[in-house]
Amino acid sequence: MEKNVFDQMNETVYHEQLDNGLNVYILPKKGFNKTYVTFTTNYGSIDNEFIPNGESDFVHVPDGIAHFLEHKMFEKEDGDVFQKFSSQGASANAFTSFTRTAYLFSATSNVTENTETLLDFVQAPYFTEQTVEKEKGIIGQEIRMYDDNPDWRVYFGLIENLYKHHPVKIDIAGTVESIADITKDHLYTCYNTFYHPVNMTLFIVGPVDPDAMMQLVKENQSKKSFPEPIPVERRFPEEPEKAALEHHEIRMSVNTPKCEVGFKMPLSDRTGVDKLREELAANLLLEMLFGKTAKFYEKAYNSGLIDDTFGFDYTGERGFGFALVGGDTDKPEQLAQRIQTQLLEAKEGGHLTKEAFERARKKKIGTTLRAFNSPEFIANQFTRYQFNGLNLFEIVPVLEKMTLEDVVDFAKEMIDEHRFSSCFVLPKETA
Amino acid sequence: MEAAHEQTFNEPGYSIHVIETEKYKTNTIMIKMRAPLEKETVTMRALLPHVLQSGTEHAPSAAAFRTALDELYGALFFADSAKKGNEHVLTFTMEAANEHYLNGENDLFDRALALLADVLFRPKLKEGLFPEKTVQQEKRSLQQRIRSIYDDKTRYASLKLVEEMYKEDPYALPAGGLLEKVEPIDPSSLYAYYQKALVEDVIDIFVIGDVNAQEAVKKIKEYLPFSDRSAVMTQTETGAVSKEVQVIREMQDINQGKLNIGCRTTITYDDPQFVAMQVSNGILGAFAHSKLFMNVREKESLAYYAASRLDSHKGFVMMLAGIDQKNYDKTVQIMNEQLEEMKKGNISDLEMTQTKALLKNQLQESADTARGMVEVLYHNISSGTNRPIDQWLKDIEAVTKEQAAAAAQTISVDTVYFLSGKEEI
């Protein structure tokens, strides 16, 4: 077991890769009541074309299957795993993102039993035609719930605009139609390909003894046998550099129009610290241009163009990256125009001042420190960074070394109007 | 569990609570101002936090104020308004990094406290009032915020239910204010009201972090000189039980129907039966093993979310689910049946064990965040009860099936509200 001490953050992380390939990380948190454990596979909604374990040809699986599989993992021959966690005083959950599926619990007691339950239920799939059919009604309602949510619709609407072929444009839960095609055989195919321990990470954070926990996980894993790991072969369609669609409008039953403007990142082959710098530069850039202390925000707010729903977000995962800016507004065209102008001016170095940079950097450092109060943040983000070959604990030191020139350079590279797109949600009545 | 070390400084209507802990990488200061929920003041109170953070004497614009925060290593400032029974609570939160984790920084706590004090005591004024322009801007934002509640259908349905169920009761008032009451507000009425709130509201200040309690109290008194006041408790009535269930159907152009069933109980936070009520609501619908989740979702595949919520400061229980509108009758029937099962005491040993375990877990987890810890303390303070976490945990464990059933028997369905699409059921 290796021990990594991060002095500045006053945190220690223990790590070991087990014989079966599973990566186990333990971060002891003194004084906390809660232990939070995530068991994550490096598999999400975008992984819809791959060579199944033991076969030789690529297959294409129905949209929404990673999320469907996540739901079905909880059901076993002897009932629902939620019941077991509840009996052991743990609150369990799971989520599926573009690139990850995570199973988790938090508990203030029975941490040993709950950790074993987590490992055991994710490593023992049980799918039948009957239970798969039953789930279609439940997930159908989940999809409809999101269909009525204008914030989700404008967010996904914009991603659909940006990408022509890449599966990031497919809604994580799929559609009512696409999940209708899912069978138990599909679920087993995906499970057997992506849930091998070598493709997974267990992260434990809480008031635990690292030696005892590691021992527990090792013993649990040594009782199970897994096939020899085969590297997963995924395939993604070739994606043009430019945005697929410049603009799109969605009509919904809303009072206030919603406007999002975004751009997709150029493909880069950066890895490690360079990749982290790219992500941090994108975040700093957006903060400098659109944060609450930027002139843009002040002007737009004071003139009534935006309200405090205005914000921005950067997503960078394996194989794709994009930035989004926007919020509620009465004048979506004008807001979209202003955001695009602001970005293009920044490409030429506009708005990127020394003061704005220092402020954005300080804010990012403080926000990161604060996030280390949260076991959820630590476990989920550490895993995310680890799957991308990065280290969460590098953020503050890398930020401390970054300069304004870095952001100016990245702005030149990232911003290109051919990669811009906008999406509005507009009230239905005025259609 | 590790008990929070709390030290309190108490004067009528003004208390300071300090929790010394090294658990967090930040220090948090929270100010809570509480007053009766009233139609005439709720909108001004909803507007105030936004006007106050639009500028101080030293940082005379919203941008200048945000800049000051960023320079404190992205100190987090957050202000909002919420309901607690029939009271309205304004909360101002300041959270700043513990300088221990930063290279070469000191006195961040004092600077954060000074900034917070500026927001409350030295807001930017023009001719002795909030600036006209700021008030206009924030009024417009508030109107937009209130209007956009309509856009979030799940939230809209919950608010509508409360509005329909508590006509003539202040509890019907939305914490975020009333649209029609925004326009008449002007700088002088708002400022006058703020001066009144500063003197009359019941004030609780919480400090959580790597601080020395005595020093913290001294600093708080110095920076935040709230004047003497009297502590007045607002009596929250749970309201009369109606004889007939009110059924309300609203149609909009949406995909999924939102079913919300509102119920009354006479058991509130300060009631000896409160913990039994909490267990009862837990078995009914608070968790993934609960009756509503198991029967509406897992058995019948009718919904993705199917749950119940308890507002114990009011004595309000809400059962809710997102369903296809054609399944309305079936879902209402199942929900009512599950409530009846509770009343009859048809509760398994497993349901008791699971619910108690998860309630205890929730309570212990809340002590892991500064905000969670404050919320638990404030439940006690605002309802005039004293149920320390350790006692609360024991009380949960002691609840029997009979007590849970007895608590459920006080629940009566009042209003069924269904927001659905435009096609016929």
Side-chain angles (χ1 to χ4, degrees):
Chain A
M1 185 162 75
E2 55 179 289
K3 177 180 174 184
N4 293 298
V5 181
F6 299 94
D7 274 331
Q8 191 180 0
M9 307 298 290
N10 194 21
E11 303 283 11
T12 302
V13 182
Y14 298 84
H15 169 237
E16 187 164 343
Q17 184 168 25
L18 308 188
D19 293 338
N20 66 15
L22 179 68
N23 273 298
V24 184
Y25 293 89
I26 302 172
L27 187 149
K29 268 270 186 200
K30 267 191 217 146
F32 275 69
N33 298 318
K34 161 165 92 178
T35 298
Y36 181 81
V37 183
T38 58
F39 192 20
T40 312
T41 164
N42 192 357
Y43 163 60
S45 65
I46 66 167
D47 300 306
N48 63 355
E49 272 191 24
F50 53 88
I51 299 179
N53 199 350
E55 295 181 26
S56 51
D57 294 326
F58 277 96
V59 295
H60 186 102
V61 289
D63 293 349
I65 196 161
H67 171 258
F68 201 105
L69 176 54
E70 171 229 297
H71 269 241
K72 279 333 300 167
M73 284 309 301
F74 284 92
E75 192 159 335
K76 303 294 170 208
E77 198 163 5
D78 57 352
D80 198 308
V81 186
F82 280 119
Q83 297 280 345
K84 195 165 185 188
F85 278 117
S86 285
S87 301
Q88 293 167 179
S91 173
N93 214 333
F95 65 83
T96 306
S97 74
F98 294 124
T99 53
R100 286 173 293 143
T101 312
Y103 301 84
L104 57 98
F105 75 83
S106 70
T108 50
S109 59
N110 305 320
V111 171
T112 311
E113 292 83 349
N114 284 313
T115 304
E116 286 186 300
T117 302
L118 178 67
L119 288 166
D120 293 346
F121 100 82
V122 176
Q123 293 185 327
Y126 171 77
F127 311 128
T128 68
E129 284 306 339
Q130 193 200 346
T131 60
V132 167
E133 285 313 308
K134 191 205 78 179
E135 204 66 20
K136 289 177 183 175
I138 297 171
I139 296 178
Q141 289 305 324
E142 186 177 3
I143 293 169
R144 285 185 201 283
M145 181 178 80
Y146 281 104
D147 281 346
D148 283 337
N149 182 325
D151 292 319
W152 182 255
R153 292 286 298 277
V154 75
Y155 172 74
F156 243 95
L158 184 58
I159 298 171
E160 282 173 29
N161 285 0
L162 290 173
Y163 292 89
K164 193 167 177 67
H165 304 298
H166 195 283
V168 65
K169 67 182 291 172
I170 299 165
D171 196 316
I172 291 169
T175 63
V176 172
E177 293 75 32
S178 74
I179 62 168
D181 297 336
I182 292 175
T183 64
K184 75 169 176 21
D185 297 333
H186 285 127
L187 297 182
Y188 277 114
T189 299
C190 293
Y191 183 88
N192 291 331
T193 306
F194 293 107
Y195 281 66
H196 193 284
V198 82
N199 200 39
M200 299 188 73
T201 289
L202 182 76
F203 199 103
I204 301 169
V205 49
V208 296
D209 170 11
D211 291 306
M213 281 313 282
M214 191 61 85
Q215 197 50 38
L216 171 89
V217 177
K218 273 189 188 168
E219 275 169 26
N220 176 286
Q221 291 299 288
S222 66
K223 287 182 207 145
K224 299 172 187 170
S225 62
F226 298 91
E228 271 302 300
I230 304 162
V232 181
E233 256 193 84
R234 302 169 167 92
R235 185 166 71 186
F236 293 99
E238 198 164 320
E239 176 67 26
E241 281 258 320
K242 63 173 200 170
L245 202 60
E246 264 177 48
H247 181 67
H248 180 61
E249 292 175 4
I250 302 166
R251 297 279 171 175
M252 290 181 73
S253 169
V254 296
N255 275 333
T256 314
K258 289 163 203 304
C259 160
E260 289 288 338
V261 172
F263 60 89
K264 63 178 171 184
M265 295 281 286
L267 288 177
S268 83
D269 43 17
R270 293 192 180 94
T271 54
V273 172
D274 289 335
K275 181 85 192 151
L276 183 59
R277 277 160 48 88
E278 179 186 285
E279 173 175 322
L280 293 172
N283 277 296
L284 291 174
L285 174 67
L286 292 170
E287 178 69 39
M288 289 162 75
L289 295 178
F290 302 108
K292 287 194 167 156
T293 53
K295 287 244 166 41
F296 177 94
Y297 189 97
E298 191 175 22
K299 235 175 118 185
Y301 190 90
N302 291 353
S303 66
L305 187 58
I306 59 171
D307 64 11
D308 49 17
T309 58
F310 184 82
F312 52 84
D313 185 49
Y314 169 79
T315 301
E317 299 293 341
R318 66 177 146 79
F320 67 91
F322 55 84
L324 308 181
V325 186
D328 291 0
T329 177
D330 285 332
K331 299 177 188 125
E333 291 88 7
Q334 195 187 334
L335 179 58
Q337 194 53 50
R338 294 266 283 272
I339 294 171
Q340 298 193 2
T341 306
Q342 177 84 351
L343 285 166
L344 291 172
E345 286 168 359
K347 185 179 176 67
E348 307 304 323
H351 315 294
L352 304 178
T353 64
K354 186 89 187 138
E355 296 71 44
F357 171 76
E358 287 304 338
R359 217 158 47 222
R361 180 165 67 165
K362 264 193 179 177
K363 181 175 181 182
K364 183 76 186 161
I365 291 174
T367 314
T368 308
L369 276 178
R370 187 165 55 234
F372 274 87
N373 283 336
S374 158
E376 291 84 349
F377 170 86
I378 296 174
N380 291 317
Q381 291 303 313
F382 188 96
T383 303
R384 181 185 152 249
Y385 279 103
Q386 186 238 337
F387 284 163
N388 287 328
L390 310 175
N391 184 340
L392 177 69
F393 287 90
E394 289 289 316
I395 294 181
V396 174
V398 169
L399 273 171
E400 285 180 335
K401 279 191 215 100
M402 284 185 73
T403 64
L404 174 62
E405 287 66 39
D406 292 333
V407 176
V408 172
D409 289 346
F410 274 109
K412 281 203 187 89
E413 176 189 318
M414 289 174 192
I415 300 169
D416 180 335
E417 60 182 324
H418 297 108
R419 293 197 300 269
F420 285 1
S421 183
S422 56
C423 183
F424 302 160
V425 164
L426 301 172
K428 225 164 194 171
E429 282 73 20
T430 59
Chain B
M1 66 178 286
E2 183 208 22
H5 180 70
E6 190 208 350
Q7 303 211 357
T8 308
F9 157 86
N10 249 323
E11 274 178 16
Y14 176 27
S15 316
I16 304 171
H17 318 265
V18 184
I19 299 164
E20 293 178 355
T21 171
E22 291 176 13
K23 204 149 115 175
Y24 313 117
K25 294 192 161 58
T26 49
N27 295 319
T28 303
I29 309 162
M30 281 173 97
I31 301 175
K32 286 188 177 276
M33 299 176 59
R34 168 158 62 93
L37 193 57
E38 289 168 346
K39 194 171 183 184
E40 293 315 309
T41 58
V42 66
T43 312
M44 285 196 280
R45 292 180 71 85
L47 182 60
L48 275 171
H50 299 278
V51 169
L52 287 169
Q53 56 184 299
S54 302
T56 67
E57 271 177 30
H58 299 300
S61 67
F65 174 63
R66 292 283 152 191
T67 301
L69 287 170
D70 287 1
E71 278 168 2
L72 292 174
Y73 283 86
L76 184 80
F77 174 83
F78 186 73
D80 69 353
S81 55
K83 268 194 284 195
K84 261 218 173 343
N86 284 9
E87 294 192 301
H88 198 231
V89 182
L90 302 185
T91 305
F92 299 87
T93 305
M94 178 71 88
E95 191 183 337
N98 181 349
E99 55 251 30
H100 177 77
Y101 296 102
L102 298 168
N103 290 327
E105 285 291 339
N106 54 36
D107 72 1
L108 276 185
F109 180 81
D110 288 24
R111 281 154 66 197
L113 179 57
L115 192 55
L116 179 60
D118 280 353
V119 171
L120 275 101
F121 290 101
R122 282 168 294 280
K124 189 193 173 189
L125 300 178
K126 210 170 169 185
E127 290 155 15
L129 302 173
F130 293 125
E132 170 82 35
K133 215 177 119 198
T134 306
V135 174
Q136 285 309 330
Q137 270 161 23
E138 293 308 325
K139 274 166 66 178
R140 197 182 44 224
S141 281
L142 181 60
Q143 285 165 333
Q144 184 129 319
R145 241 187 324 272
I146 296 171
R147 274 197 294 263
S148 70
I149 291 170
Y150 176 84
D151 304 351
D152 179 345
K153 303 305 174 189
T154 315
R155 188 161 160 239
Y156 173 82
S158 299
L159 285 176
K160 274 306 262 204
L161 167 70
V162 169
E163 204 179 284
E164 295 288 350
M165 186 167 154
Y166 290 97
K167 285 178 186 138
E168 314 299 317
D169 184 323
Y171 190 68
L173 296 168
L178 297 161
L179 190 59
E180 70 273 17
K181 293 282 183 188
V182 180
E183 197 38 51
I185 298 173
D186 62 36
S188 89
S189 62
L190 187 65
Y191 191 72
Y193 176 71
Y194 181 54
Q195 293 310 307
K196 187 167 171 303
L198 272 183
V199 189
E200 292 181 3
D201 275 19
V202 176
I203 308 286
D204 286 278
I205 301 179
F206 301 85
V207 180
I208 306 100
D210 191 5
V211 294
N212 172 287
Q214 275 177 328
E215 264 179 50
V217 169
K218 200 170 138 242
K219 278 183 188 164
I220 293 287
K221 286 210 279 196
E222 180 190 327
Y223 281 95
L224 301 166
F226 286 102
S227 57
D228 292 347
R229 64 200 63 219
S230 58
V232 188
M233 284 279 294
T234 304
Q235 285 301 320
T236 298
E237 302 291 335
T238 54
V241 174
S242 54
K243 291 195 186 80
E244 222 173 280
V245 176
Q246 179 183 206
V247 179
I248 292 163
R249 168 95 186 267
E250 183 177 344
M251 284 185 273
Q252 290 181 11
D253 203 345
I254 53 173
N255 291 293
Q256 182 186 55
K258 324 286 173 194
L259 171 64
N260 291 50
I261 302 179
C263 314
R264 291 176 199 266
T265 161
T266 48
I267 301 171
T268 51
Y269 193 88
D270 53 353
D271 193 291
Q273 277 184 279
F274 163 71
V275 179
M277 185 69 222
Q278 218 190 353
V279 171
S280 197
N281 175 62
I283 301 166
L284 177 64
F287 304 108
H289 66 261
S290 301
K291 289 185 187 291
L292 293 178
F293 191 90
M294 291 309 291
N295 289 285
V296 177
R297 172 172 151 147
E298 294 301 309
K299 272 211 189 105
E300 300 288 340
S301 297
L302 292 170
Y304 170 65
Y305 68 89
S308 68
R309 289 188 203 144
L310 168 67
D311 179 350
S312 48
H313 288 274
K314 183 63 184 174
F316 171 58
V317 178
M318 178 167 69
M319 300 191 281
L320 66 163
I323 55 171
D324 271 348
Q325 47 198 338
K326 64 174 195 287
N327 294 324
Y328 169 83
D329 287 330
K330 192 176 178 186
T331 314
V332 171
Q333 192 193 335
I334 295 174
M335 287 182 145
N336 284 330
E337 279 166 11
Q338 295 311 311
L339 181 56
E340 283 310 308
E341 290 291 296
M342 290 299 306
K343 293 184 183 189
K344 286 186 208 146
N346 286 336
I347 299 164
S348 70
D349 291 340
L350 185 61
E351 284 174 313
M352 282 304 277
T353 322
Q354 291 173 328
T355 302
K356 287 178 178 182
L358 282 195
L359 285 172
K360 287 194 287 184
N361 187 50
Q362 245 173 22
L363 198 54
Q364 282 170 313
E365 284 193 7
S366 67
D368 278 346
T369 67
R371 200 172 291 188
M373 206 143 39
V374 169
E375 288 313 321
V376 172
L377 287 174
Y378 200 60
H379 276 310
N380 279 326
I381 295 163
S382 58
S383 60
T385 45
N386 184 18
R387 190 181 292 117
I389 289 187
D390 287 341
Q391 186 58 47
W392 196 341
L393 292 169
K394 283 184 201 145
D395 291 349
I396 291 172
E397 196 47 56
V399 172
T400 64
K401 265 187 220 178
E402 291 68 31
Q403 289 169 332
Q409 282 155 19
T410 71
I411 301 175
S412 61
V413 174
D414 185 286
T415 303
V416 178
Y417 171 85
F418 188 45
L419 174 64
S420 73
K422 285 186 173 153
E423 291 140 49
E424 280 306 298
I425 291 183

